[in-house]
């Protein structure tokens, strides 16, 4: 049948994991198409918190396959840790998880290279998650990478050692002392992974589609971190936008139907780089506190600010969003006024569009909406929500030109309304 896509429209952590988990029952397969363990997707299952890094967020559902696609970069240590945690929770991962043979490996030396590169950049560092993402994708585009499926080949060890030694040489020229303490664990994890299910991702997915199955492609990061369209160079190293689904899973564009775009009711960013609506005052601090804005992967405090419509419109355009989902609305419960930027001023010129390059002299022009200023916990129907909240949802719909189809009002599995 078809592929729907669910992805982040901001700088990541929009609540993608929770919404995938909610929608999963409509699909036979959930597939990650890019990124790697830089992602942290939070799901509450029977009040227990799980943070998924490489495994798709449909894993808690019976009878749903979860595919780690070709476009993903895999660290076997992280993947095995995730698998073990889920197996300890009673899930049969061997039948639920499908790993693309062509997914690229993150080597222990990729992580060291990530650290070396960030150290060399100094003040200008990207603020990466230090998970080896950029060096792993660099080896992919540089045509040096090792595919996970190659672990079954007899020359894997030699190929691994050759690439590792190349990395070590690079780091010695950078005067960086690489730590290889995890190498044995990495090799062991790869051995253990051999017991799980590997597939030729593109053949597998297209066969499922031809047999009438529906697939949800789960994005990691967000549109503003896209390698080509985000705030370069402060981006991740993969195509996070809907276009990445075709290359990451091996499906043709005509197969894609709905695109769920997830945005918070405000805005956050973790790591360095431009963030026009960032608030450096007590309001930003309040958003961080009310929203528990600390990274799911690294624990770093997230930078917080008001919703940014020029950026959000740009993200909706790039992705072809058909269903806009607004999360963390409840975080705004205690605000008299809710700020938003609908345009920017750049050198006395005003624009509602995303400028080609974000410069330091860009100033967001703020307006404000009336807050609902009350607790909304326990509300069971959308119609029972405060009028000011519904007006704010309407305002987001108007300013993005995208139809809102879901509003999330708490971290819990059932704390959301779908229309
Ligand atoms: P992802 O990377 O997009 O999957 O998002 P993360 O898991 O990194 O971060 C989202 C955080 O917000 C998690 O801690 C979620 O439990 C939480 N969350 C998701 N939706 C809501 C919501 O509607 N309200 C509140 N308060 N928290 C939410
Ligand atoms: P999820 O899927 C938020 C950010 C990092 C850094 C930049 C580059 O949970 O939304 P990288 O390690 O990819 O080279 O880091 O991208 N970043 C994320 N920020 N959520 C994520 O994933 C992120 N993955 C990467 O903080 O600024
Ligand atoms: Mg996250």
């Amino acid at each position: 049948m078809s592929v729907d896509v669910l992805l982040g429209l901001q700088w990541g952590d929009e609540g993608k994991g929770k919404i995938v988990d909610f929608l999963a029952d409509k699909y036979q397969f959930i597939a990650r198409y890019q990124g790697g363990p830089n992602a942290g997707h939070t799901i509450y299952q029977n009040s227990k918190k799980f943070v998924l890094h490489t495994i798709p967020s449909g894993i808690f559902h019976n009878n749903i396959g979860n595919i780690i696609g070709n476009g993903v970069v895999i660290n076997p240590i992280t993947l095995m840790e995730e698998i073990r945690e889920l197996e300890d929770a009673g899930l049969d991962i061997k039948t639920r998880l499908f790993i693309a043979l062509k997914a690229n490996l993150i080597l222990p030396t990729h992580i060291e290279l990530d650290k070396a590169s960030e150290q060399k950049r100094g003040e200008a560092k990207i603020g990466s998650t230090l998970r080896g993402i950029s060096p792993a994708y660099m080896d992919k585009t540089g045509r040096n990478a090792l595919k996970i499926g190659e672990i079954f080949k007899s020359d894997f060890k030699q190929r691994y050692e050759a690439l590792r030694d190349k990395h070590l040489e690079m780091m010695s020229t950078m005067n960086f002392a690489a730590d290889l303490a995890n190498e044995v664990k990495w090799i062991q994890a790869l051995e253990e992974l051999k017991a799980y299910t590997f597939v030729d991702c593109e053949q597998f997915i297209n066969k499922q589609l031809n047999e009438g199955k529906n697939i949800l492609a789960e994005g990691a990061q967000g549109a503003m971190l896209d390698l080509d369209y985000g705030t370069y160079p402060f981006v991740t190293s993969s195509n996070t936008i809907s276009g990445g689904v075709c290359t990451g899973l091996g499906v043709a564009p005509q197969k894609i139907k709905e695109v769920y775009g997830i945005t918070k009711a405000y805005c956050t960013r973790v790591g360095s780089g431009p963030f026009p609506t960032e608030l450096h005052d007590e309001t930003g601090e309040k958003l961080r506190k009310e929203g528990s804005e600390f990274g799911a992967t690294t624990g770093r405090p997230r930078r917080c600010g008001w919703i940014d419509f020029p950026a959000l419109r740009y993200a909706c355009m790039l992705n072809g969003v058909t269903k806009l989902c607004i999360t963390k609305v409840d975080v705004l419960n205690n605000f008299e006024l809710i700020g938003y930027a609908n345009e920017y001023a750049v050198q006395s010129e005003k624009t509602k569009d995303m400028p080609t390059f974000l410069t330091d002299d860009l100033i967001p022009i703020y307006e404000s909406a009336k807050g609902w200023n009350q607790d909304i916990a326990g509300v069971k129907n959308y119609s029972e929500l405060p009028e000011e909240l519904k007006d704010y949802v309407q305002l987001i719909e108007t300013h993005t030109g995208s139809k809102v189809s879901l509003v999330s009002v708490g971290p819990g599995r059932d704390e959301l309304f779908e229309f």
Side-chain angles (χ1 to χ4, degrees):
M1 287 275 275
S2 57
V3 179
D4 290 348
V5 183
L6 185 147
L7 44 74
L9 297 174
Q10 299 170 309
W11 282 279
D13 302 328
E14 297 89 350
K16 299 175 290 292
K18 172 187 154 155
I19 311 294
V20 170
D21 175 53
F22 170 75
L23 295 171
D25 278 335
K26 298 182 182 174
Y27 302 90
Q28 285 75 45
F29 291 92
I30 312 294
R32 275 277 307 269
Y33 59 93
Q34 48 68 235
N38 47 350
H41 296 181
T42 311
I43 293 172
Y44 284 90
Q45 167 77 4
N46 300 330
S47 312
K48 185 171 166 7
K49 180 177 168 177
F50 289 87
V51 180
L52 300 171
H53 300 288
T54 321
I55 294 180
S57 303
I59 199 73
F60 292 100
H61 295 254
N62 286 324
N63 308 318
I64 295 180
N66 286 264
I67 305 167
I68 300 174
N70 288 354
V72 175
V73 283
I74 298 178
N75 179 343
I77 297 178
T78 327
L79 179 54
M80 268 319 299
E81 280 169 1
E82 278 186 77
I83 289 176
R84 270 192 220 108
E85 189 188 4
L86 295 168
E87 285 179 340
D88 287 349
L91 305 186
D92 180 4
I93 300 302
K94 289 199 173 114
T95 57
R96 285 187 196 190
L97 186 67
F98 300 87
I99 307 165
L101 287 157
K102 284 184 188 153
N104 291 282
L105 279 170
I106 300 176
L107 272 55
T109 40
H110 282 138
I111 296 169
E112 295 305 295
L113 278 167
D114 202 355
K115 290 183 200 160
S117 158
E118 286 287 79
Q119 192 172 303
K120 192 150 181 279
R121 280 174 178 267
E123 288 285 285
K125 70 174 184 187
I126 304 296
S128 93
T129 58
L130 300 178
R131 298 299 188 267
I133 302 299
S134 155
Y137 279 115
M138 278 163 74
D139 267 338
K140 173 181 168 178
T141 54
R143 296 161 296 184
N144 297 311
L146 291 171
K147 308 272 174 192
I148 198 163
E150 291 178 297
I151 57 176
F152 299 104
K153 292 187 182 167
S154 57
D155 65 348
F156 178 77
K157 191 162 175 282
Q158 288 102 294
R159 298 212 32 232
Y160 162 69
E161 286 171 355
L163 189 54
R164 175 200 63 191
D165 291 347
K166 182 173 172 233
H167 292 158
L168 291 174
E169 215 175 297
M170 285 159 72
M171 283 185 276
S172 82
T173 64
M174 294 165 87
N175 286 326
F176 184 85
D179 176 3
L180 272 185
N182 263 344
E183 188 179 42
V184 173
K185 202 172 164 193
W186 187 84
I187 292 165
Q188 261 169 13
L190 270 182
E191 277 306 311
E192 287 175 55
L193 275 176
K194 284 181 177 168
Y196 290 83
T197 312
F198 287 83
V199 289
D200 179 317
C201 172
E202 59 276 28
Q203 301 283 5
F204 182 77
I205 286 193
N206 281 287
K207 184 166 174 283
Q208 301 299 335
L209 288 170
N210 290 339
E211 287 174 5
K213 310 277 174 44
N214 288 315
I215 295 169
L216 180 64
E218 173 180 358
Q221 292 81 54
M224 301 311 290
L225 287 170
D226 180 272
L227 176 60
D228 287 286
Y229 299 98
T231 47
Y232 192 90
F234 299 98
V235 293
T236 192
S237 299
S238 64
N239 284 117
T240 60
I241 61 170
S242 52
V245 173
C246 297
T247 50
L249 296 179
V251 295
Q254 309 92 289
K255 303 276 188 213
I256 296 177
K257 208 167 142 202
E258 305 293 348
V259 179
Y260 291 86
I262 320 295
T263 177
K264 288 184 192 182
Y266 51 99
C267 204
T268 66
R269 169 164 207 169
V270 61
S272 325
F275 177 3
T277 60
E278 180 173 13
L279 297 169
H280 297 281
D281 56 10
E282 67 273 17
T283 308
E285 196 53 52
K286 186 173 169 185
L287 284 169
R288 184 173 309 114
K289 191 164 159 277
E290 306 268 312
S292 309
E293 293 296 356
F294 296 89
T297 296
T298 58
R300 291 178 291 177
R302 295 179 185 141
R303 301 155 63 192
C304 297
W306 295 128
I307 202 162
D308 178 340
F309 287 123
L312 202 51
R313 279 192 290 271
Y314 177 67
C316 288
M317 173 191 83
L318 289 171
N319 288 296
V321 170
T322 58
K323 290 173 180 281
L324 187 61
C325 307
I326 308 170
T327 57
K328 305 195 86 163
V329 170
D330 54 303
V331 174
L332 301 179
N333 280 352
N334 302 315
F335 287 84
E336 297 275 346
L337 289 172
I338 296 166
Y340 62 92
N342 192 35
E343 54 187 340
Y344 300 145
V346 191
Q347 291 178 356
S348 75
E349 294 277 315
K350 283 187 184 175
T351 176
K352 287 194 166 66
D353 293 331
M354 195 69 189
T356 310
F357 302 110
L358 287 182
T359 48
D360 288 342
D361 55 359
L362 179 148
I363 301 166
I365 301 174
Y366 290 113
E367 297 171 60
S368 55
K370 199 165 179 303
W372 42 100
N373 213 13
Q374 59 180 280
D375 193 3
I376 52 170
V379 173
K380 290 276 172 276
N381 292 303
Y382 185 75
S383 60
E384 289 166 18
L385 287 171
E387 284 310 311
E388 293 87 351
L389 192 161
K390 288 188 263 182
D391 289 346
Y392 185 58
V393 168
Q394 182 61 56
L395 180 120
I396 295 176
E397 188 165 292
T398 305
H399 285 319
T400 56
S402 295
K403 177 90 188 72
V404 175
S405 74
L406 192 150
V407 174
S408 171
V409 293
R413 250 185 160 179
D414 52 358
E415 290 180 293
L416 47 75
F417 304 103
E418 193 189 17
F419 330 107

